[in-house]
């Protein structure tokens, strides 16, 4: 297995920027199989922890392919991925100790769909002390056209910021964090099997998928640092990386990573801009 980014600077990059990409951590065949697995599951219907229901004929592409959550609680493939030895080993390198696993998510992000406004994950997870960590694996090639991840390097040193209203024509969640003057997000281009690890305070999100025919699927694991004693209720039970469960305290507030919001859709038709309400 080649981990091109597992150079001496892997942890230094993470400490400096708040994120790092492990290239080819999973091979292309594994990424293909996972992509097909979740495509099949989504086609079959809705599941217990889905955050918004499937609407097969819906005009909003995200209602036809809503994200899935907490699949590891009922799907063995998801559980095995969440606890995979390769993810575990790199997280131990980054954190110095085993984390606890608390969430899986699958984003389908079909052509034409909205992204997710800039946010910080620990706003939702409320892991304390310490923070959370995400392992975000590309299942398709991701670039600016299909709404790749956007990160603000160095923002993991910021506190958890107060949120403000997001533009729901481009985001399926309705809150965002304002960027201080002079700060901007940068795209992270990835290939299937690459894994982006990022700190729970890092400001990140994604823009809409403006491609006409390319999904941008991603499998995501959320973890909390091993020193954490509490996490928001939604993320219980936490798992040790050997799969056993542990009991943590419940933090105040927090919840699932971003509430679904029906958005208006901006349609550019020649001279006119039409705002259409998603049903
Ligand atoms: O995949 C995306 O578009 C956003 C994912 C995200 O914000 C997250 O995993 O915390």
């Amino acid at each position: 297995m080649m981990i091109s980014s597992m150079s001496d600077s892997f942890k230094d990059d993470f400490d400096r920027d708040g994120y790092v990409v492990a290239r080819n951590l999973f091979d292309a065949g594994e990424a293909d199989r996972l992509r097909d697995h979740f495509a099949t599951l989504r086609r079959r219907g809705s599941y217990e922890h889905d955050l918004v229901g499937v609407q097969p004929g819906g005009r909003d592409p995200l209602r036809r392919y809503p994200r899935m959550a907490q699949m590891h609680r009922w799907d063995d493939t998801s559980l095995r991925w969440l606890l995979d030895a390769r993810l575990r080993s790199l997280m131990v390198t980054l954190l110095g100790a085993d984390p606890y696993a608390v969430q899986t998510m699958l984003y389908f992000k079909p052509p034409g769909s909205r992204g997710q406004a800039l946010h910080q994950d620990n706003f939702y997870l409320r892991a304390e002390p310490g923070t959370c960590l995400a392992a975000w694996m590309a299942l398709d090639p991701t670039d600016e056209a299909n709404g790749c991840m956007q990160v603000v390097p160095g923002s993991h040193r910021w506190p958890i910021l107060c949120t403000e209203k997001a533009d729901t024509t481009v985001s399926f969640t309705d809150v965002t964090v304002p960027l201080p003057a002079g700060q901007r997000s940068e795209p992270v281009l990835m290939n299937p099997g690459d894994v982006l690890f990022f700190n729970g305070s890092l400001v990140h999100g994604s823009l809409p998928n403006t491609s006409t025919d390319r999904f941008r699927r991603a499998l995501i694991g959320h973890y909390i640092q091993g020193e954490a004693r509490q996490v928001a209720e939604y993320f219980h039970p936490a798992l040790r990386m050997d799969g056993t469960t542990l009991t943590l305290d419940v933090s105040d507030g927090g919840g699932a990573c971003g509430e679904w919001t029906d958005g208006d859709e901006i349609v550019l038709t020649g001279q006119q801009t039409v705002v259409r309400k998603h049903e």
Side-chain angles (χ1 to χ4, degrees), residues 6-50:
M6 269 304 285
S7 58
D8 290 345
S9 67
F10 187 72
K11 179 169 163 45
D12 294 344
D13 292 351
F14 179 78
D15 289 343
R16 184 192 61 232
D17 298 330
Y19 72 94
V20 68
V21 180
R23 303 275 171 202
N24 305 315
L25 186 59
F26 290 74
D27 67 40
E30 288 177 285
D32 284 357
R33 284 191 292 281
L34 285 165
R35 195 193 56 223
D36 293 348
H37 172 71
F38 290 107
T40 303
L41 288 179
R42 184 72 302 167
R43 261 198 311 276
R44 285 192 188 142
S46 297
Y47 302 92
E48 191 185 345
H49 301 286
D50 283 1

mmCIF file of all heavy atoms in Angstrom, residues 6-50:
data_model
loop_
_atom_site.group_PDB
_atom_site.id
_atom_site.type_symbol
_atom_site.label_atom_id
_atom_site.label_comp_id
_atom_site.label_asym_id
_atom_site.label_seq_id
_atom_site.Cartn_x
_atom_site.Cartn_y
_atom_site.Cartn_z
ATOM 1 N N MET A 6 2.439 9.928 3.799
ATOM 2 C CA MET A 6 2.953 9.504 5.096
ATOM 3 C C MET A 6 4.447 9.781 5.184
ATOM 4 O O MET A 6 5.259 8.914 5.461
ATOM 5 C CB MET A 6 2.656 8.019 5.315
ATOM 6 C CG MET A 6 1.338 7.815 6.011
ATOM 7 S SD MET A 6 1.247 8.678 7.569
ATOM 8 C CE MET A 6 2.288 7.643 8.579
ATOM 9 N N SER A 7 4.802 10.992 4.898
ATOM 10 C CA SER A 7 6.188 11.405 5.011
ATOM 11 C C SER A 7 6.396 11.876 6.448
ATOM 12 O O SER A 7 5.472 11.871 7.271
ATOM 13 C CB SER A 7 6.436 12.553 4.053
ATOM 14 O OG SER A 7 5.535 13.577 4.382
ATOM 15 N N ASP A 8 7.607 12.308 6.735
ATOM 16 C CA ASP A 8 7.892 12.837 8.070
ATOM 17 C C ASP A 8 6.991 14.010 8.391
ATOM 18 O O ASP A 8 6.748 14.322 9.543
ATOM 19 C CB ASP A 8 9.352 13.312 8.144
ATOM 20 C CG ASP A 8 10.290 12.137 8.115
ATOM 21 O OD1 ASP A 8 9.805 11.009 8.324
ATOM 22 O OD2 ASP A 8 11.483 12.359 7.858
ATOM 23 N N SER A 9 6.511 14.688 7.340
ATOM 24 C CA SER A 9 5.747 15.916 7.592
ATOM 25 C C SER A 9 4.253 15.661 7.815
ATOM 26 O O SER A 9 3.500 16.611 8.003
ATOM 27 C CB SER A 9 5.935 16.886 6.428
ATOM 28 O OG SER A 9 5.326 16.346 5.282
ATOM 29 N N PHE A 10 3.828 14.389 7.790
ATOM 30 C CA PHE A 10 2.393 14.092 7.883
ATOM 31 C C PHE A 10 1.764 14.725 9.135
ATOM 32 O O PHE A 10 0.788 15.472 9.057
ATOM 33 C CB PHE A 10 2.189 12.569 7.895
ATOM 34 C CG PHE A 10 0.760 12.136 7.820
ATOM 35 C CD1 PHE A 10 0.029 12.256 6.648
ATOM 36 C CD2 PHE A 10 0.129 11.576 8.934
ATOM 37 C CE1 PHE A 10 -1.300 11.846 6.576
ATOM 38 C CE2 PHE A 10 -1.188 11.168 8.871
ATOM 39 C CZ PHE A 10 -1.901 11.300 7.697
ATOM 40 N N LYS A 11 2.370 14.475 10.280
ATOM 41 C CA LYS A 11 1.836 15.040 11.521
ATOM 42 C C LYS A 11 2.132 16.539 11.610
ATOM 43 O O LYS A 11 1.302 17.315 12.094
ATOM 44 C CB LYS A 11 2.412 14.289 12.733
ATOM 45 C CG LYS A 11 1.908 14.867 14.050
ATOM 46 C CD LYS A 11 2.244 14.003 15.232
ATOM 47 C CE LYS A 11 2.140 14.729 16.566
ATOM 48 N NZ LYS A 11 0.958 15.548 16.751
ATOM 49 N N ASP A 12 3.292 16.947 11.124
ATOM 50 C CA ASP A 12 3.630 18.392 11.155
ATOM 51 C C ASP A 12 2.612 19.185 10.339
ATOM 52 O O ASP A 12 2.171 20.262 10.742
ATOM 53 C CB ASP A 12 5.025 18.647 10.576
ATOM 54 C CG ASP A 12 6.115 18.040 11.441
ATOM 55 O OD1 ASP A 12 5.821 17.708 12.609
ATOM 56 O OD2 ASP A 12 7.234 17.866 10.944
ATOM 57 N N ASP A 13 2.248 18.645 9.168
ATOM 58 C CA ASP A 13 1.266 19.337 8.321
ATOM 59 C C ASP A 13 -0.074 19.447 9.056
ATOM 60 O O ASP A 13 -0.734 20.490 9.037
ATOM 61 C CB ASP A 13 1.049 18.581 7.001
ATOM 62 C CG ASP A 13 2.277 18.633 6.107
ATOM 63 O OD1 ASP A 13 3.225 19.385 6.436
ATOM 64 O OD2 ASP A 13 2.308 17.912 5.094
ATOM 65 N N PHE A 14 -0.457 18.340 9.694
ATOM 66 C CA PHE A 14 -1.731 18.323 10.427
ATOM 67 C C PHE A 14 -1.696 19.342 11.566
ATOM 68 O O PHE A 14 -2.642 20.111 11.764
ATOM 69 C CB PHE A 14 -1.984 16.912 10.962
ATOM 70 C CG PHE A 14 -3.249 16.771 11.751
ATOM 71 C CD1 PHE A 14 -4.480 16.675 11.111
ATOM 72 C CD2 PHE A 14 -3.217 16.732 13.146
ATOM 73 C CE1 PHE A 14 -5.659 16.550 11.837
ATOM 74 C CE2 PHE A 14 -4.387 16.596 13.873
ATOM 75 C CZ PHE A 14 -5.607 16.516 13.224
ATOM 76 N N ASP A 15 -0.590 19.364 12.289
ATOM 77 C CA ASP A 15 -0.492 20.296 13.428
ATOM 78 C C ASP A 15 -0.491 21.749 12.942
ATOM 79 O O ASP A 15 -1.090 22.621 13.568
ATOM 80 C CB ASP A 15 0.790 20.027 14.235
ATOM 81 C CG ASP A 15 0.709 18.720 15.011
ATOM 82 O OD1 ASP A 15 -0.420 18.201 15.178
ATOM 83 O OD2 ASP A 15 1.755 18.213 15.435
ATOM 84 N N ARG A 16 0.155 21.988 11.806
ATOM 85 C CA ARG A 16 0.246 23.367 11.309
ATOM 86 C C ARG A 16 -1.071 23.832 10.683
ATOM 87 O O ARG A 16 -1.554 24.939 10.944
ATOM 88 C CB ARG A 16 1.378 23.465 10.266
ATOM 89 C CG ARG A 16 1.623 24.900 9.754
ATOM 90 C CD ARG A 16 2.533 24.919 8.538
ATOM 91 N NE ARG A 16 1.940 24.173 7.434
ATOM 92 C CZ ARG A 16 2.557 23.210 6.768
ATOM 93 N NH1 ARG A 16 3.791 22.867 7.044
ATOM 94 N NH2 ARG A 16 1.920 22.577 5.778
ATOM 95 N N ASP A 17 -1.674 22.976 9.838
ATOM 96 C CA ASP A 17 -2.821 23.405 9.021
ATOM 97 C C ASP A 17 -4.172 22.973 9.586
ATOM 98 O O ASP A 17 -5.204 23.496 9.188
ATOM 99 C CB ASP A 17 -2.708 22.818 7.605
ATOM 100 C CG ASP A 17 -1.457 23.323 6.895
ATOM 101 O OD1 ASP A 17 -1.017 24.454 7.190
ATOM 102 O OD2 ASP A 17 -0.922 22.573 6.036
ATOM 103 N N GLY A 18 -4.156 21.950 10.444
ATOM 104 C CA GLY A 18 -5.421 21.436 10.982
ATOM 105 C C GLY A 18 -6.021 20.349 10.111
ATOM 106 O O GLY A 18 -7.095 19.827 10.408
ATOM 107 N N TYR A 19 -5.324 19.992 9.032
ATOM 108 C CA TYR A 19 -5.795 18.904 8.172
ATOM 109 C C TYR A 19 -4.608 18.324 7.418
ATOM 110 O O TYR A 19 -3.561 18.967 7.293
ATOM 111 C CB TYR A 19 -6.852 19.400 7.175
ATOM 112 C CG TYR A 19 -6.293 20.274 6.082
ATOM 113 C CD1 TYR A 19 -5.923 19.729 4.845
ATOM 114 C CD2 TYR A 19 -6.112 21.640 6.281
ATOM 115 C CE1 TYR A 19 -5.392 20.530 3.850
ATOM 116 C CE2 TYR A 19 -5.574 22.439 5.278
ATOM 117 C CZ TYR A 19 -5.215 21.874 4.067
ATOM 118 O OH TYR A 19 -4.667 22.658 3.081
ATOM 119 N N VAL A 20 -4.797 17.115 6.919
ATOM 120 C CA VAL A 20 -3.769 16.488 6.086
ATOM 121 C C VAL A 20 -4.467 15.401 5.265
ATOM 122 O O VAL A 20 -5.468 14.831 5.711
ATOM 123 C CB VAL A 20 -2.626 15.916 6.971
ATOM 124 C CG1 VAL A 20 -3.087 14.735 7.820
ATOM 125 C CG2 VAL A 20 -1.416 15.544 6.151
ATOM 126 N N VAL A 21 -3.957 15.137 4.051
ATOM 127 C CA VAL A 21 -4.563 14.097 3.206
ATOM 128 C C VAL A 21 -3.625 12.896 3.136
ATOM 129 O O VAL A 21 -2.436 13.050 2.831
ATOM 130 C CB VAL A 21 -4.813 14.613 1.770
ATOM 131 C CG1 VAL A 21 -5.438 13.501 0.906
ATOM 132 C CG2 VAL A 21 -5.722 15.839 1.784
ATOM 133 N N ALA A 22 -4.150 11.716 3.422
ATOM 134 C CA ALA A 22 -3.417 10.465 3.216
ATOM 135 C C ALA A 22 -3.830 9.948 1.840
ATOM 136 O O ALA A 22 -4.965 9.490 1.675
ATOM 137 C CB ALA A 22 -3.762 9.463 4.296
ATOM 138 N N ARG A 23 -2.945 10.091 0.882
ATOM 139 C CA ARG A 23 -3.261 9.686 -0.504
ATOM 140 C C ARG A 23 -3.251 8.166 -0.619
ATOM 141 O O ARG A 23 -2.391 7.502 -0.036
ATOM 142 C CB ARG A 23 -2.228 10.285 -1.475
ATOM 143 C CG ARG A 23 -2.133 11.809 -1.414
ATOM 144 C CD ARG A 23 -3.173 12.465 -2.307
ATOM 145 N NE ARG A 23 -3.203 13.910 -2.079
ATOM 146 C CZ ARG A 23 -4.225 14.694 -2.367
ATOM 147 N NH1 ARG A 23 -5.335 14.186 -2.875
ATOM 148 N NH2 ARG A 23 -4.183 15.978 -2.139
ATOM 149 N N ASN A 24 -4.195 7.619 -1.371
ATOM 150 C CA ASN A 24 -4.271 6.169 -1.644
ATOM 151 C C ASN A 24 -4.296 5.324 -0.373
ATOM 152 O O ASN A 24 -3.773 4.220 -0.369
ATOM 153 C CB ASN A 24 -3.066 5.692 -2.472
ATOM 154 C CG ASN A 24 -2.902 6.465 -3.731
ATOM 155 O OD1 ASN A 24 -3.872 6.707 -4.445
ATOM 156 N ND2 ASN A 24 -1.692 6.889 -4.022
ATOM 157 N N LEU A 25 -4.878 5.819 0.683
ATOM 158 C CA LEU A 25 -4.903 5.014 1.915
ATOM 159 C C LEU A 25 -5.716 3.735 1.678
ATOM 160 O O LEU A 25 -5.401 2.670 2.183
ATOM 161 C CB LEU A 25 -5.488 5.830 3.077
ATOM 162 C CG LEU A 25 -5.433 5.162 4.439
ATOM 163 C CD1 LEU A 25 -3.988 4.829 4.844
ATOM 164 C CD2 LEU A 25 -6.066 6.033 5.512
ATOM 165 N N PHE A 26 -6.780 3.871 0.908
ATOM 166 C CA PHE A 26 -7.547 2.705 0.456
ATOM 167 C C PHE A 26 -7.333 2.615 -1.054
ATOM 168 O O PHE A 26 -7.212 3.656 -1.713
ATOM 169 C CB PHE A 26 -9.033 2.879 0.780
ATOM 170 C CG PHE A 26 -9.329 2.795 2.254
ATOM 171 C CD1 PHE A 26 -8.987 3.840 3.107
ATOM 172 C CD2 PHE A 26 -9.927 1.662 2.799
ATOM 173 C CE1 PHE A 26 -9.233 3.763 4.469
ATOM 174 C CE2 PHE A 26 -10.173 1.577 4.170
ATOM 175 C CZ PHE A 26 -9.827 2.633 5.011
ATOM 176 N N ASP A 27 -7.285 1.388 -1.592
ATOM 177 C CA ASP A 27 -7.020 1.340 -3.032
ATOM 178 C C ASP A 27 -8.304 1.588 -3.820
ATOM 179 O O ASP A 27 -9.413 1.567 -3.255
ATOM 180 C CB ASP A 27 -6.271 0.064 -3.438
ATOM 181 C CG ASP A 27 -7.085 -1.187 -3.261
ATOM 182 O OD1 ASP A 27 -8.297 -1.158 -3.554
ATOM 183 O OD2 ASP A 27 -6.520 -2.212 -2.822
ATOM 184 N N ALA A 28 -8.122 1.829 -5.120
ATOM 185 C CA ALA A 28 -9.256 2.243 -5.944
ATOM 186 C C ALA A 28 -10.360 1.185 -5.937
ATOM 187 O O ALA A 28 -11.556 1.509 -5.940
ATOM 188 C CB ALA A 28 -8.785 2.522 -7.364
ATOM 189 N N GLY A 29 -9.957 -0.112 -5.901
ATOM 190 C CA GLY A 29 -10.945 -1.199 -5.904
ATOM 191 C C GLY A 29 -11.804 -1.149 -4.630
ATOM 192 O O GLY A 29 -13.026 -1.346 -4.691
ATOM 193 N N GLU A 30 -11.170 -0.876 -3.498
ATOM 194 C CA GLU A 30 -11.938 -0.798 -2.237
ATOM 195 C C GLU A 30 -12.907 0.382 -2.288
ATOM 196 O O GLU A 30 -14.056 0.284 -1.857
ATOM 197 C CB GLU A 30 -10.982 -0.581 -1.056
ATOM 198 C CG GLU A 30 -10.156 -1.773 -0.684
ATOM 199 C CD GLU A 30 -9.180 -1.428 0.449
ATOM 200 O OE1 GLU A 30 -8.175 -0.752 0.189
ATOM 201 O OE2 GLU A 30 -9.459 -1.822 1.588
ATOM 202 N N ALA A 31 -12.423 1.503 -2.812
ATOM 203 C CA ALA A 31 -13.291 2.687 -2.892
ATOM 204 C C ALA A 31 -14.471 2.401 -3.824
ATOM 205 O O ALA A 31 -15.621 2.766 -3.517
ATOM 206 C CB ALA A 31 -12.489 3.892 -3.371
ATOM 207 N N ASP A 32 -14.214 1.717 -4.933
ATOM 208 C CA ASP A 32 -15.305 1.365 -5.869
ATOM 209 C C ASP A 32 -16.344 0.484 -5.184
ATOM 210 O O ASP A 32 -17.544 0.690 -5.325
ATOM 211 C CB ASP A 32 -14.763 0.559 -7.059
ATOM 212 C CG ASP A 32 -14.036 1.435 -8.054
ATOM 213 O OD1 ASP A 32 -14.008 2.671 -7.854
ATOM 214 O OD2 ASP A 32 -13.486 0.867 -9.014
ATOM 215 N N ARG A 33 -15.843 -0.512 -4.442
ATOM 216 C CA ARG A 33 -16.790 -1.441 -3.787
ATOM 217 C C ARG A 33 -17.627 -0.709 -2.743
ATOM 218 O O ARG A 33 -18.830 -0.939 -2.622
ATOM 219 C CB ARG A 33 -16.032 -2.619 -3.154
ATOM 220 C CG ARG A 33 -15.568 -3.652 -4.183
ATOM 221 C CD ARG A 33 -15.066 -4.928 -3.519
ATOM 222 N NE ARG A 33 -13.830 -4.737 -2.781
ATOM 223 C CZ ARG A 33 -12.611 -4.678 -3.334
ATOM 224 N NH1 ARG A 33 -12.467 -4.790 -4.636
ATOM 225 N NH2 ARG A 33 -11.536 -4.510 -2.582
ATOM 226 N N LEU A 34 -17.000 0.189 -2.000
ATOM 227 C CA LEU A 34 -17.760 0.945 -0.993
ATOM 228 C C LEU A 34 -18.787 1.850 -1.676
ATOM 229 O O LEU A 34 -19.937 1.959 -1.240
ATOM 230 C CB LEU A 34 -16.803 1.776 -0.127
ATOM 231 C CG LEU A 34 -16.016 0.954 0.901
ATOM 232 C CD1 LEU A 34 -14.840 1.753 1.457
ATOM 233 C CD2 LEU A 34 -16.933 0.488 2.039
ATOM 234 N N ARG A 35 -18.376 2.491 -2.767
ATOM 235 C CA ARG A 35 -19.297 3.385 -3.494
ATOM 236 C C ARG A 35 -20.516 2.588 -3.972
ATOM 237 O O ARG A 35 -21.663 3.013 -3.794
ATOM 238 C CB ARG A 35 -18.546 4.002 -4.687
ATOM 239 C CG ARG A 35 -19.235 5.181 -5.313
ATOM 240 C CD ARG A 35 -18.586 5.509 -6.639
ATOM 241 N NE ARG A 35 -18.596 4.338 -7.496
ATOM 242 C CZ ARG A 35 -17.562 3.938 -8.244
ATOM 243 N NH1 ARG A 35 -16.433 4.596 -8.258
ATOM 244 N NH2 ARG A 35 -17.675 2.846 -8.997
ATOM 245 N N ASP A 36 -20.269 1.391 -4.542
ATOM 246 C CA ASP A 36 -21.373 0.570 -5.048
ATOM 247 C C ASP A 36 -22.254 0.079 -3.894
ATOM 248 O O ASP A 36 -23.477 0.009 -4.012
ATOM 249 C CB ASP A 36 -20.838 -0.629 -5.846
ATOM 250 C CG ASP A 36 -20.156 -0.168 -7.130
ATOM 251 O OD1 ASP A 36 -20.318 1.023 -7.490
ATOM 252 O OD2 ASP A 36 -19.445 -0.977 -7.744
ATOM 253 N N HIS A 37 -21.612 -0.269 -2.792
ATOM 254 C CA HIS A 37 -22.351 -0.747 -1.625
ATOM 255 C C HIS A 37 -23.362 0.303 -1.153
ATOM 256 O O HIS A 37 -24.546 0.016 -0.963
ATOM 257 C CB HIS A 37 -21.347 -1.064 -0.513
ATOM 258 C CG HIS A 37 -21.958 -1.396 0.813
ATOM 259 N ND1 HIS A 37 -22.634 -2.575 1.041
ATOM 260 C CD2 HIS A 37 -22.012 -0.699 1.981
ATOM 261 C CE1 HIS A 37 -23.064 -2.588 2.295
ATOM 262 N NE2 HIS A 37 -22.701 -1.455 2.882
ATOM 263 N N PHE A 38 -22.886 1.561 -1.012
ATOM 264 C CA PHE A 38 -23.792 2.596 -0.495
ATOM 265 C C PHE A 38 -24.810 3.024 -1.552
ATOM 266 O O PHE A 38 -25.954 3.361 -1.205
ATOM 267 C CB PHE A 38 -22.990 3.786 0.050
ATOM 268 C CG PHE A 38 -22.267 3.425 1.313
ATOM 269 C CD1 PHE A 38 -20.884 3.252 1.330
ATOM 270 C CD2 PHE A 38 -22.977 3.196 2.484
ATOM 271 C CE1 PHE A 38 -20.230 2.874 2.495
ATOM 272 C CE2 PHE A 38 -22.324 2.815 3.662
ATOM 273 C CZ PHE A 38 -20.951 2.659 3.662
ATOM 274 N N ALA A 39 -24.423 2.961 -2.829
ATOM 275 C CA ALA A 39 -25.399 3.282 -3.887
ATOM 276 C C ALA A 39 -26.550 2.273 -3.828
ATOM 277 O O ALA A 39 -27.728 2.630 -3.933
ATOM 278 C CB ALA A 39 -24.717 3.263 -5.249
ATOM 279 N N THR A 40 -26.212 1.006 -3.618
ATOM 280 C CA THR A 40 -27.248 -0.041 -3.525
ATOM 281 C C THR A 40 -28.134 0.196 -2.300
ATOM 282 O O THR A 40 -29.368 0.135 -2.385
ATOM 283 C CB THR A 40 -26.592 -1.439 -3.437
ATOM 284 O OG1 THR A 40 -25.772 -1.598 -4.571
ATOM 285 C CG2 THR A 40 -27.617 -2.547 -3.375
ATOM 286 N N LEU A 41 -27.503 0.483 -1.164
ATOM 287 C CA LEU A 41 -28.299 0.729 0.048
ATOM 288 C C LEU A 41 -29.259 1.903 -0.163
ATOM 289 O O LEU A 41 -30.432 1.844 0.225
ATOM 290 C CB LEU A 41 -27.388 1.036 1.239
ATOM 291 C CG LEU A 41 -26.582 -0.125 1.824
ATOM 292 C CD1 LEU A 41 -25.717 0.375 2.983
ATOM 293 C CD2 LEU A 41 -27.495 -1.249 2.313
ATOM 294 N N ARG A 42 -28.752 2.989 -0.768
ATOM 295 C CA ARG A 42 -29.603 4.179 -0.955
ATOM 296 C C ARG A 42 -30.779 3.857 -1.871
ATOM 297 O O ARG A 42 -31.914 4.277 -1.623
ATOM 298 C CB ARG A 42 -28.741 5.325 -1.509
ATOM 299 C CG ARG A 42 -29.400 6.668 -1.674
ATOM 300 C CD ARG A 42 -29.707 7.438 -0.389
ATOM 301 N NE ARG A 42 -30.566 6.772 0.575
ATOM 302 C CZ ARG A 42 -30.730 7.180 1.824
ATOM 303 N NH1 ARG A 42 -30.105 8.250 2.265
ATOM 304 N NH2 ARG A 42 -31.528 6.527 2.632
ATOM 305 N N ARG A 43 -30.503 3.074 -2.931
ATOM 306 C CA ARG A 43 -31.580 2.699 -3.867
ATOM 307 C C ARG A 43 -32.672 1.905 -3.166
ATOM 308 O O ARG A 43 -33.843 2.000 -3.503
ATOM 309 C CB ARG A 43 -31.006 1.855 -5.007
ATOM 310 C CG ARG A 43 -30.735 2.646 -6.285
ATOM 311 C CD ARG A 43 -30.585 1.732 -7.490
ATOM 312 N NE ARG A 43 -29.668 0.617 -7.294
ATOM 313 C CZ ARG A 43 -28.346 0.701 -7.446
ATOM 314 N NH1 ARG A 43 -27.790 1.842 -7.790
ATOM 315 N NH2 ARG A 43 -27.574 -0.360 -7.264
ATOM 316 N N ARG A 44 -32.234 1.099 -2.165
ATOM 317 C CA ARG A 44 -33.222 0.224 -1.496
ATOM 318 C C ARG A 44 -34.166 0.985 -0.590
ATOM 319 O O ARG A 44 -35.192 0.468 -0.193
ATOM 320 C CB ARG A 44 -32.498 -0.838 -0.675
ATOM 321 C CG ARG A 44 -31.912 -1.914 -1.542
ATOM 322 C CD ARG A 44 -31.458 -3.086 -0.682
ATOM 323 N NE ARG A 44 -30.737 -4.025 -1.506
ATOM 324 C CZ ARG A 44 -29.670 -4.704 -1.122
ATOM 325 N NH1 ARG A 44 -29.203 -4.563 0.101
ATOM 326 N NH2 ARG A 44 -29.089 -5.535 -1.947
ATOM 327 N N GLY A 45 -33.800 2.200 -0.141
ATOM 328 C CA GLY A 45 -34.765 2.929 0.687
ATOM 329 C C GLY A 45 -34.147 3.779 1.769
ATOM 330 O O GLY A 45 -33.039 4.273 1.628
ATOM 331 N N SER A 46 -34.905 3.944 2.865
ATOM 332 C CA SER A 46 -34.508 4.829 3.961
ATOM 333 C C SER A 46 -34.112 3.987 5.171
ATOM 334 O O SER A 46 -34.539 2.833 5.291
ATOM 335 C CB SER A 46 -35.682 5.723 4.353
ATOM 336 O OG SER A 46 -36.026 6.553 3.275
ATOM 337 N N TYR A 47 -33.351 4.577 6.064
ATOM 338 C CA TYR A 47 -32.815 3.848 7.210
ATOM 339 C C TYR A 47 -33.011 4.653 8.487
ATOM 340 O O TYR A 47 -33.193 5.882 8.448
ATOM 341 C CB TYR A 47 -31.331 3.519 6.982
ATOM 342 C CG TYR A 47 -31.162 2.712 5.728
ATOM 343 C CD1 TYR A 47 -30.914 3.349 4.506
ATOM 344 C CD2 TYR A 47 -31.352 1.343 5.717
ATOM 345 C CE1 TYR A 47 -30.820 2.630 3.326
ATOM 346 C CE2 TYR A 47 -31.263 0.603 4.543
ATOM 347 C CZ TYR A 47 -30.993 1.250 3.351
ATOM 348 O OH TYR A 47 -30.927 0.533 2.192
ATOM 349 N N GLU A 48 -32.887 3.939 9.600
ATOM 350 C CA GLU A 48 -33.231 4.481 10.906
ATOM 351 C C GLU A 48 -32.617 5.860 11.198
ATOM 352 O O GLU A 48 -33.272 6.743 11.706
ATOM 353 C CB GLU A 48 -32.774 3.476 11.970
ATOM 354 C CG GLU A 48 -33.298 3.787 13.346
ATOM 355 C CD GLU A 48 -32.718 2.830 14.385
ATOM 356 O OE1 GLU A 48 -32.155 1.777 14.014
ATOM 357 O OE2 GLU A 48 -32.827 3.176 15.578
ATOM 358 N N HIS A 49 -31.341 6.059 10.878
ATOM 359 C CA HIS A 49 -30.685 7.300 11.298
ATOM 360 C C HIS A 49 -30.578 8.336 10.187
ATOM 361 O O HIS A 49 -29.868 9.338 10.349
ATOM 362 C CB HIS A 49 -29.308 6.990 11.878
ATOM 363 C CG HIS A 49 -29.360 6.059 13.050
ATOM 364 N ND1 HIS A 49 -29.799 6.461 14.291
ATOM 365 C CD2 HIS A 49 -29.094 4.729 13.146
ATOM 366 C CE1 HIS A 49 -29.769 5.418 15.108
ATOM 367 N NE2 HIS A 49 -29.354 4.364 14.438
ATOM 368 N N ASP A 50 -31.259 8.111 9.051
ATOM 369 C CA ASP A 50 -31.238 9.123 7.987
ATOM 370 C C ASP A 50 -31.718 10.457 8.557
ATOM 371 O O ASP A 50 -32.653 10.498 9.370
ATOM 372 C CB ASP A 50 -32.190 8.732 6.850
ATOM 373 C CG ASP A 50 -31.614 7.650 5.950
ATOM 374 O OD1 ASP A 50 -30.487 7.192 6.216
ATOM 375 O OD2 ASP A 50 -32.299 7.269 4.988
#
